[in-house]
Amino acid sequence: MPAYKYKLKDGSERYYAKFYYTNWKGERKQEFKRGFNRQKDAKAYEIDFLAKLATNPTVPFEILAEKYLENCKSKALKITTLSNKEYLIHKHILPIFADKPIGDIDSYMIAEWQRNLYKSSEAYAPTYIHNINNLLKYIFDYAVKIYKLPSNPVRICGSIGKARNDHMDYWTPEEFNLFINALQDTKRNRSAQIKRKTDEHTLSVAFTILFYCGLRVGELLALTHDDVNLENSRLSITKTYKRFKGTDLILEPKTKASVRNIKMPAIVHKMLSEFLPKLSSANAQERIFQSISYNSLYRAIHSEAKLLGLKEIRVHDLRHSCASMLANAGCDYEQIKAFLGHNDVRVTLNIYTHLYPHKFDDIANKIDKLVNTSVEENKQN
């Protein structure tokens, strides 16, 4: 590691460092820096520079993000999942970190980025912020693995936001019945100047399946005629539907556990028995609810709830409503897990624990019973 001497105009001497290194692209580059008072200072600069290069990769973050997405594509993620990742990266991450070398992005920079997410004028939901932060964490995990980044600065800063909402809205069967009856009242809806692209009866059948069978919206919209076995009163859930950039997509279900074959409640069986024969086409592979979109479900549930004075819930909350109904009917976690198609009972526990307050009462009652029995046995002895 040579250090070279040169003279200034006043005759004094200085040293400069000049050496070669290989950058993150594999290109041979030269580093040149002058102005050192001592030869050992110039040599120390070279040592520090190469050491930092070895432990602090100079790959621009934008390139890291690009490589991360390419890696995701190689794992055959759903096109909708990839699209969502790309959107979040371009909207919330690249504007801040794009041209920065990944080795220069430290925990202080990440903490400032996290604070700005919270202070955003758009007032993002805690779950949305949590997802953005997690995505950045996974990108830096990839950097640790591929580019030998010493540590993940996002993991150092920790998680932000919330994985799930603290509060979960749902309707009771009584509230749902009020909603369905109002939805089917076409005369009332016309007088309220509610206009729909999908007829009320089709919407009623769809909402009834969502409420009593706990399907995800994509699972409902993917149902075909051969998924319905009226003879055995069974409903087969094997796929999910997504409208993506103007194209209808039939995709693999969310998880392997999402594939399930459930027995239809009598109310669902009755409605489908009356509804399916009226459809113009009964092609086994044709989607039953082609006339329905997520937006039509969203508009219907919100317009009717508003007219009725019911608490407004999301379409997905009908799935939570089904879980609530099952819990109140005495079903345990494993039964709810299987019926709803959760991949792990821990998911069911995390989401629906609040639906089982009576379980803790039951535990206390059993303890009291054991104590009383023990006391009585001691008295007898």
Side-chain angles (χ1 to χ4, degrees):
M1 55 182 71
Y4 304 95
K5 185 188 297 184
Y6 67 97
K7 288 188 176 183
L8 300 176
K9 290 181 180 181
D10 62 5
S12 60
E13 295 180 341
R14 295 288 188 276
Y15 292 86
Y16 67 87
K18 180 181 178 182
F19 56 91
Y20 290 90
Y21 67 95
T22 302
N23 69 8
W24 65 271
K25 293 181 179 180
E27 301 169 336
R28 185 172 168 80
K29 294 287 184 179
Q30 184 187 82
E31 174 67 7
F32 177 83
K33 186 174 178 63
R34 58 194 299 166
F36 298 100
N37 292 323
R38 300 178 300 176
Q39 185 182 41
K40 69 177 184 179
D41 293 335
K43 291 181 178 180
Y45 172 79
E46 179 182 352
I47 293 171
D48 290 343
F49 182 95
L50 295 176
K52 182 178 180 182
L53 188 66
T55 58
N56 281 25
T58 58
V59 182
F61 181 86
E62 188 171 20
I63 300 299
L64 169 64
E66 180 183 315
K67 297 299 182 184
Y68 169 78
L69 287 172
E70 287 176 3
N71 183 62
C72 290
K73 290 175 184 177
S74 71
K75 294 180 178 178
L77 291 183
K78 289 180 183 177
I79 188 172
T80 50
T81 302
L82 283 170
S83 178
N84 185 54
K85 285 178 179 288
E86 289 176 352
Y87 172 79
L88 293 179
I89 288 171
H90 283 89
K91 181 173 176 61
H92 299 290
I93 299 175
L94 284 183
I96 307 300
F97 301 114
D99 60 348
K100 292 179 173 57
I102 61 175
D104 291 347
I105 301 174
D106 57 23
S107 57
Y108 295 101
M109 294 174 65
I110 296 298
E112 182 63 23
W113 173 77
Q114 290 177 336
R115 282 193 293 272
N116 287 333
L117 270 182
Y118 273 118
K119 293 189 294 184
S120 171
S121 59
E122 296 185 54
Y124 299 123
T127 50
Y128 186 70
I129 292 174
H130 180 83
N131 289 338
I132 300 169
N133 190 75
N134 268 4
L135 177 55
L136 185 59
K137 178 174 65 179
Y138 299 147
I139 293 173
F140 273 106
D141 279 343
Y142 184 76
V144 170
K145 179 180 179 181
I146 302 300
Y147 292 108
K148 309 305 179 187
L149 190 69
S151 62
N152 184 331
V154 185
R155 290 191 178 277
I156 293 171
C157 289
S159 183
I160 61 173
K162 294 180 180 178
R164 289 188 174 85
N165 288 321
D166 292 333
H167 180 68
M168 183 183 299
D169 287 321
Y170 57 90
W171 278 345
T172 64
E174 291 76 21
E175 289 172 318
F176 180 73
N177 287 336
L178 285 174
F179 163 73
I180 285 295
N181 291 333
L183 181 64
Q184 294 174 332
D185 191 340
T186 55
K187 183 177 179 181
R188 172 180 165 278
N189 289 328
R190 288 195 191 96
S191 65
Q193 297 184 331
I194 294 176
K195 297 179 181 180
R196 296 195 174 95
K197 294 181 180 179
T198 306
D199 68 277
E200 283 84 353
H201 183 59
T202 301
L203 287 170
S204 296
V205 176
F207 278 121
T208 300
I209 295 173
L210 290 173
F211 184 85
Y212 287 104
C213 296
L215 269 63
R216 302 174 178 94
V217 175
E219 294 171 342
L220 169 83
L221 299 182
L223 288 176
T224 56
H225 289 268
D226 61 355
D227 291 326
V228 182
N229 186 330
L230 292 175
E231 183 178 351
N232 295 322
S233 192
R234 309 292 298 187
L235 198 61
S236 181
I237 300 106
T238 61
K239 51 195 174 293
T240 189
Y241 165 87
K242 185 76 174 181
R243 182 79 173 170
F244 181 73
K245 295 184 178 179
T247 303
D248 293 333
L249 300 177
I250 300 298
L251 306 169
E252 293 291 319
K254 186 174 182 180
T255 65
K256 289 182 179 179
S258 299
V259 177
R260 57 203 189 277
N261 188 284
I262 62 174
K263 183 175 179 61
M264 289 183 275
I267 187 171
V268 173
H269 182 270
K270 182 176 185 297
M271 291 192 81
L272 284 174
S273 297
E274 297 170 352
F275 175 71
L276 293 179
K278 296 178 182 178
L279 296 180
S280 57
S281 172
N283 185 318
Q285 300 300 320
E286 193 167 89
R287 288 194 304 115
I288 296 170
F289 296 107
Q290 293 186 58
S291 63
I292 289 180
S293 66
Y294 178 83
N295 285 336
S296 62
L297 293 169
Y298 171 84
R299 288 192 295 268
I301 199 169
H302 281 273
S303 60
E304 293 298 340
K306 191 172 182 179
L307 279 176
L308 288 167
L310 284 174
K311 62 175 175 285
E312 294 187 32
I313 65 173
R314 303 171 304 162
V315 179
H316 187 73
D317 288 329
L318 292 174
R319 181 169 162 84
H320 299 323
S321 301
C322 178
S324 173
M325 179 177 59
L326 296 176
N328 287 324
C331 299
D332 60 32
Y333 289 120
E334 286 290 349
Q335 290 173 312
I336 295 178
K337 167 188 172 292
F339 195 75
L340 296 183
H342 286 153
N343 192 47
D344 191 322
V345 73
R346 286 175 294 183
V347 176
T348 315
L349 286 165
N350 289 338
I351 298 175
Y352 300 120
T353 295
H354 70 285
L355 298 177
Y356 283 85
H358 60 282
K359 290 292 183 184
F360 298 106
D361 295 341
D362 188 45
I363 290 172
N365 292 336
K366 287 179 178 178
I367 292 173
D368 291 339
K369 185 176 180 180
L370 285 171
V371 171
N372 291 334
T373 301
S374 177
V375 170
E376 288 299 322
E377 289 177 350
N378 288 335
K379 286 181 179 179
Q380 293 174 6
N381 292 333

